[in-house]
Amino acid sequence: LQKSLCETFGADRYSRARKEVLTYMFSRPMQMALYFCTGVLDDETLFHHYALNVPFYTHFTSPIRRYADIVVHRLLSASLGARCPIKMEKEAIQKQADHCNDRKMASKRVQELSVDLFFSVFVRVRP
């Protein structure tokens, strides 16, 4: 798939834009990851990472980037005994996760609309 995509991009002045748009359009249907508090879910199969094929998975990046990552860092640190346990009920943590998911979905939707607008303009001005 990657090889055929690269051939489709071409080598003209629009090749980079074509690459960005096509790569985005192919990855768009993929399911987005969701934040959740493990303590509120009974079904452990929901912790499974499909692509990596591992039964338990968590993900976080630098805690300066997203609030969800800060929460994961704090929970992981507390579970390892490096800091005091967080004094939040699991339902409150899940409420935070739901809020982060809502904001992430809204951000993704704005990004999609922006790409659609760019693509429309690109198609319109291209001879």
Side-chain angles (χ1 to χ4, degrees), residues 45-116:
T45 63
L46 296 173
F47 307 163
H48 184 264
H49 190 286
Y50 177 79
L52 296 177
N53 195 25
V54 292
F56 296 102
Y57 177 82
T58 190
H59 170 83
F60 54 89
T61 60
S62 169
I64 63 170
R65 293 191 57 215
R66 294 184 297 233
Y67 181 68
D69 297 319
I70 293 171
V71 172
V72 172
H73 272 255
R74 289 177 181 166
L75 290 168
L76 182 58
S77 182
S79 71
L80 295 173
R83 66 171 286 153
C84 295
I86 293 179
K87 295 177 182 169
M88 287 177 72
E89 296 294 323
K90 58 187 174 187
E91 292 78 12
I93 294 171
Q94 182 59 47
K95 189 174 180 180
Q96 294 281 333
D98 290 339
H99 178 72
C100 289
N101 289 331
D102 290 344
R103 297 296 82 215
K104 190 166 71 164
M105 294 291 187
S107 174
K108 183 174 171 53
R109 183 67 182 135
V110 169
Q111 179 185 8
E112 289 171 352
L113 291 170
S114 173
V115 169
D116 290 347

Side-chain angles (χ1 to χ4, degrees), residues 2-20 22 126:
Q2 181 65 26
K3 183 180 176 189
S4 62
L5 274 177
C6 288
E7 291 170 1
T8 304
F9 300 149
D12 61 8
R13 68 182 190 161
Y14 295 109
S15 62
R16 183 169 181 234
R18 256 192 313 278
K19 178 182 178 185
E20 296 279 333
L22 290 174
R126 181 155 164 95

